[in-house]
Amino acid sequence: MNKILIILLFWTLQLSAQTPIHIIPEPSSLQKGMGDFILTRDTKISIINPNAEVRRVAQFFIEMVNLPTGYKLSTAENIKFHSSKSINFILDEKMLAAPDQYTLNVTTKFIDIKAHSPQGMFYAVQTLMQLLPKQIENNTFQKTIWKIPAVNITDAPRYDWRGIMLDVSRHFFPKEYIKKFIDQLARLKFNTFHWHLTDDQGWRIEIKSYPKLTSVGAWRVQRTGKWWEREPAKEGEERSYGGFYTQEDIREIVKYAQDRYISILPEVDVPGHSLAILAAYPEFSCGGGKFEVNAGVKFYKDVENTLCPSNEQVYVFLDKVFGEISQLFPHPYIHIGGDEAYKGYWEKSAECQALMKREGLKTQEELQSYFVKRVEKIVQSKGKRLIGWDEILEGGLAPNATVMSWRGMKGGIAAAKQNHQVVMSPWEYVYLDLYQGDPNVEPVTYGMARLKKAYSFEPTPKGVEEKLILGGQGNLWTESVPTTRHLEYMLYPRILAISETLWSLKEKKNWQSFTQKLETHFARLDEAKLNYALSMYDAIVRTEKDAAGKIKIELSTEVDGMDIYYTFDGTNPDNYSPKYRGQMLEIPKSATTLKVITYQNNKPKGKQITLTMKDLQDRVGRYKIEFFQKCL
Ligand code: ACM
């Protein structure tokens, strides 16, 4: 053997020994073995106990690896003994385990995927993908050795409800991107895609009984600029910004998601957030008049955006809408929204007041509860269950409602105490539209939910019956998210944190090892050409005033083992600048800016943050950037 070959071989072995195994979400148990399985064009996909669904999952794997490897792997069925160099899909209905449990055994000679259900196998395939080199994420041909490290994994999800919500009303994202979004959820073993289909800024689903919902309600004037500060529509201006999904599109997407073991939860947000409905059908308001699909113009209280609960035609409308929706989505629930309904126009309506009198309702909240209870009957008449945001607790919960808790955990706890099921999605942990780093270096939004906070999310609070907490969800509202690149920036890496929280055992979670795993995943996201934020590496700048009224500055980082350098003299800091050593800083006389940068292993890592003295002053006591309700 010539020398170069020996060196190459040695180098390959070295590399193989060093390849870290960085699975997200972290499996329940993982034992590393020796050596690697090499995927080649001759690797057989062997299906033991074949059925149509297992074949489909196996085919899914074949397609996933096809473009980057250039291989068209072939299948073999019912082979009794392990043929060498095969990946074996073994449906084992006797596995006494959770239906979605799987085992994945990678040896140098074969790979066994064993699961109680095809769904479990699908999750094994996702793990297997993450064991392959990062180039597997690329959708063009890549020249590499397709090594899979020997490993023995047993894995199962912690929660049954592992969701991500996407708002397609504030900005419309086309069908093809929705499929790509679903692919991303599948990779991280989510099983629920909550689709926020309607809001004040656009109605996005074709409803045959009410065609104006999409011919009028799906379109608005084109605007850019800060949300809630935009210019109103002018008379005669073209309303051409928006879009909607036809029922054909919806069926296609539902099937696409189902093939990836993701169930789509449709949301029609009522009685509030209904301006797009009223633009199309003003007769469903209490006050009447002319309504305009909102383009990000501030309107709270000036414009009615609530359905009128005393109007019987509203219930006829909802009966038809939910009737069509229940035919399109197999999900057992329909989400009816229920959040942030402004009730001022109900108060002014003689019909609403008469209804309250007739029904013995004392408050506007009880009137809302009356509305939700009627909607629950409609939803149930379509064979579905109702889920709504935690405002549906106000005035009394509908008898069988499930609560999605967004204003913290307290709504979820209150619902569970009343023996109702709960999905936890508290804004301060899992709202993916909030800032994930210093507002001075992030795209404009509101509130704050850093990655570390997202990772610390624990869906099951103490003192409630565990089985009532179905799981949790991250929510991506899109007021300030106009493009898919921006959408991904908000999603990653927080979605990885949420995935680990909802799938992995609580005791398997570890912030430090999670941040190390992220390095690997960022490289994979690059291959997949997906955008992500690196805000976790930026400094956190907090200020407070001491007893004498002097501003003190604390610098810190989310990720351990980083160094922080700063200047007050206007120069850009580097690792020769003063280093922050944990002692709070005082502002030197006549300083005009504080500039901060982070380093890791003597290399610049985070973005430079530049703050004026006014910025520092303004953030005293509010470094967390308090949350304001979006439409208040
Ligand atoms: C919500 O964020 N309004 C549910």
Side-chain angles (χ1 to χ4, degrees):
M1 225 189 302
N2 77 34
K3 254 192 201 147
I4 293 174
L5 216 66
I6 293 172
I7 290 168
L8 250 165
L9 194 70
F10 181 74
W11 186 67
T12 317
L13 285 173
Q14 278 289 102
L15 265 188
S16 129
Q18 283 166 4
T19 309
I21 296 175
H22 281 168
I23 310 294
I24 294 181
E26 185 65 31
S28 313
S29 111
L30 183 156
Q31 270 135 26
K32 289 184 198 172
M34 291 286 285
D36 300 295
F37 179 93
I38 312 288
L39 184 81
T40 70
R41 64 179 64 255
D42 299 323
T43 301
K44 273 267 169 307
I45 303 299
S46 156
I47 305 173
I48 322 283
N49 316 327
N51 71 30
E53 218 181 322
V54 178
R55 278 193 197 106
R56 201 171 49 70
V57 175
Q59 203 55 42
F60 189 89
F61 176 72
I62 292 171
E63 278 162 28
M64 296 258 280
V65 302
N66 171 248
L67 287 176
T69 62
Y71 304 156
K72 274 199 161 51
L73 301 177
S74 59
T75 57
E77 296 194 350
N78 280 323
I79 296 171
K80 283 282 171 281
F81 302 101
H82 284 150
S83 62
S84 188
K85 301 291 174 197
S86 64
I87 301 178
N88 307 299
F89 285 75
I90 307 160
L91 190 65
D92 184 356
E93 282 165 343
K94 291 196 289 295
M95 247 166 106
L96 289 174
D100 301 341
Q101 193 185 33
Y102 69 87
T103 62
L104 173 63
N105 188 19
V106 179
T107 71
T108 53
K109 297 204 170 63
F110 62 84
I111 296 177
D112 275 355
I113 289 173
K114 213 184 258 190
H116 175 88
S117 68
Q119 187 165 351
M121 281 183 181
F122 183 81
Y123 294 135
V125 165
Q126 302 314 317
T127 302
L128 183 57
M129 290 296 289
Q130 289 193 21
L131 290 171
L132 276 154
K134 64 177 182 180
Q135 292 88 339
I136 204 71
E137 305 287 347
N138 208 299
N139 63 1
T140 58
F141 176 70
Q142 303 289 306
K143 216 166 164 42
T144 189
I145 302 169
W146 300 103
K147 278 193 300 189
I148 304 170
V151 70
N152 199 348
I153 290 173
T154 301
D155 201 9
R158 179 176 174 202
Y159 289 104
D160 287 343
W161 187 300
R162 304 181 301 280
I164 293 289
M165 186 218 76
L166 179 65
D167 165 10
V168 294
S169 169
R170 273 55 179 270
H171 286 100
F172 176 70
F173 300 100
K175 178 176 77 176
E176 287 315 316
Y177 193 80
I178 298 299
K179 287 185 181 172
K180 189 171 169 189
F181 188 79
I182 288 165
D183 288 340
Q184 297 174 61
L185 302 194
R187 294 274 173 113
L188 296 171
K189 305 186 176 95
F190 286 94
N191 65 357
T192 304
F193 168 37
H194 171 174
W195 208 357
H196 185 77
L197 286 161
T198 75
D199 216 301
D200 299 315
Q201 287 77 19
W203 179 282
R204 304 290 178 217
I205 175 169
E206 179 190 23
I207 299 294
K208 305 234 190 238
S209 330
Y210 291 91
K212 282 197 285 183
L213 286 171
T214 45
S215 65
V216 175
W219 306 99
R220 64 181 194 239
V221 293
Q222 166 75 293
R223 290 285 182 276
T224 48
K226 202 169 171 202
W227 197 255
W228 298 139
E229 291 180 9
R230 295 174 172 186
E231 207 192 348
K234 296 187 186 72
E235 200 54 44
E237 197 179 346
E238 198 182 9
R239 278 116 177 106
S240 56
Y241 184 79
F244 65 93
Y245 312 101
T246 64
Q247 295 204 350
E248 208 42 53
D249 292 337
I250 299 274
R251 277 189 210 98
E252 189 182 323
I253 292 169
V254 164
K255 166 82 170 63
Y256 188 88
Q258 263 179 333
D259 285 351
R260 287 151 184 80
Y261 298 95
I262 289 174
S263 188
I264 303 185
L265 170 71
E267 179 184 353
V268 169
D269 200 349
V270 289
H273 290 273
S274 292
L275 196 46
I277 303 175
L278 300 183
Y281 298 100
E283 61 270 31
F284 298 145
S285 69
C286 283
K290 197 168 176 313
F291 299 88
E292 177 73 43
V293 179
N294 183 278
V297 184
K298 194 163 193 239
F299 71 91
Y300 182 62
K301 294 187 184 177
D302 310 331
V303 176
E304 190 174 358
N305 72 334
T306 315
L307 299 181
C308 197
S310 59
N311 180 350
E312 280 307 309
Q313 288 311 306
V314 164
Y315 301 102
V316 173
F317 166 75
L318 291 174
D319 185 82
K320 288 265 197 290
V321 168
F322 290 132
E324 292 191 33
I325 285 193
S326 64
Q327 293 298 306
L328 291 167
F329 294 92
H331 199 288
Y333 286 88
I334 289 178
H335 199 303
I336 61 99
D339 58 321
E340 300 177 313
Y342 174 63
K343 302 168 188 77
Y345 293 85
W346 299 358
E347 232 169 292
K348 285 192 222 143
S349 149
E351 286 80 10
C352 283
Q353 297 313 305
L355 168 68
M356 287 175 71
K357 212 161 178 187
R358 236 177 16 251
E359 295 289 329
L361 310 171
K362 286 181 234 29
T363 62
Q364 302 303 314
E365 284 68 34
E366 286 183 20
L367 180 55
Q368 170 166 304
S369 166
Y370 164 88
F371 171 87
V372 175
K373 283 173 184 153
R374 284 197 61 178
V375 174
E376 179 172 64
K377 288 214 178 85
I378 295 171
V379 166
Q380 285 176 341
S381 76
K382 313 297 173 199
K384 301 287 183 182
R385 298 185 60 185
L386 179 144
I387 184 166
W389 300 111
D390 57 67
E391 285 91 332
I392 65 169
L393 279 150
E394 293 163 3
L397 262 181
N400 299 301
T402 296
V403 169
M404 191 170 271
S405 189
W406 74 278
R407 295 175 302 173
M409 306 283 283
K410 60 184 187 308
I413 295 169
K417 293 243 153 99
Q418 294 176 43
N419 213 27
H420 284 250
Q421 290 183 322
V422 171
V423 175
M424 289 292 191
S425 61
W427 67 264
E428 69 271 46
Y429 293 92
V430 288
Y431 263 35
L432 300 167
D433 55 331
L434 304 188
Y435 283 114
Q436 52 194 320
D438 196 294
N440 278 47
V441 288
E442 293 290 333
V444 171
T445 179
Y446 69 108
M448 178 65 81
R450 290 184 189 273
L451 178 68
K452 193 169 186 179
K453 185 82 178 182
Y455 195 71
S456 72
F457 173 43
E458 167 50 39
T460 305
K462 289 200 178 70
V464 305
E465 206 175 324
E466 278 183 24
K467 71 172 196 323
L468 290 171
I469 310 298
L470 301 179
Q473 202 172 275
N475 297 334
L476 183 46
W477 302 99
T478 58
E479 285 96 331
S480 304
V481 183
T483 66
T484 55
R485 280 301 276 179
H486 192 165
L487 185 161
E488 289 159 10
Y489 182 87
M490 301 311 279
L491 210 53
Y492 295 101
R494 288 181 291 194
I495 191 174
L496 292 147
I498 297 169
S499 145
E500 192 146 298
T501 291
L502 299 177
W503 176 279
S504 306
L505 294 171
K506 199 172 159 186
E507 57 273 22
K508 282 282 164 184
K509 281 180 69 184
N510 179 302
W511 168 246
Q512 206 174 358
S513 63
F514 175 70
T515 56
Q516 278 156 14
K517 290 197 291 186
L518 283 183
E519 296 276 350
T520 301
H521 283 263
F522 289 147
R524 300 180 75 88
L525 290 169
D526 284 334
E527 293 289 339
K529 300 172 189 72
L530 289 166
N531 198 9
Y532 53 90
L534 292 170
S535 318
M536 61 189 267
Y537 297 122
D538 299 346
I540 301 171
V541 183
R542 190 181 74 83
T543 58
E544 61 181 50
K545 269 191 183 147
D546 68 9
K550 236 193 210 159
I551 292 182
K552 296 272 182 95
I553 304 161
E554 182 193 70
L555 306 179
S556 58
T557 57
E558 281 181 82
V559 176
D560 302 336
M562 313 240 326
D563 299 314
I564 311 174
Y565 298 93
Y566 64 92
T567 63
F568 280 108
D569 62 7
T571 57
N572 295 327
D574 62 15
N575 52 343
Y576 293 87
S577 307
K579 183 173 177 175
Y580 185 76
R581 297 187 187 279
Q583 189 110 40
M584 288 183 92
L585 305 177
E586 286 184 18
I587 302 172
K589 270 206 178 65
S590 62
T592 55
T593 55
L594 167 67
K595 294 189 179 184
V596 183
I597 188 109
T598 54
Y599 271 62
Q600 195 177 46
N601 303 325
N602 271 327
K603 296 216 171 60
K605 192 74 181 177
K607 297 189 279 296
Q608 178 175 299
I609 299 171
T610 301
L611 299 166
T612 64
M613 295 304 111
K614 182 172 182 319
D615 291 334
L616 292 170
Q617 176 88 33
D618 286 352
R619 63 176 58 186
V620 170
R622 59 185 304 263
Y623 73 102
K624 273 164 75 177
I625 320 285
E626 272 83 29
F627 176 79
F628 336 106
Q629 271 185 299
K630 273 188 289 277
C631 71
L632 303 188

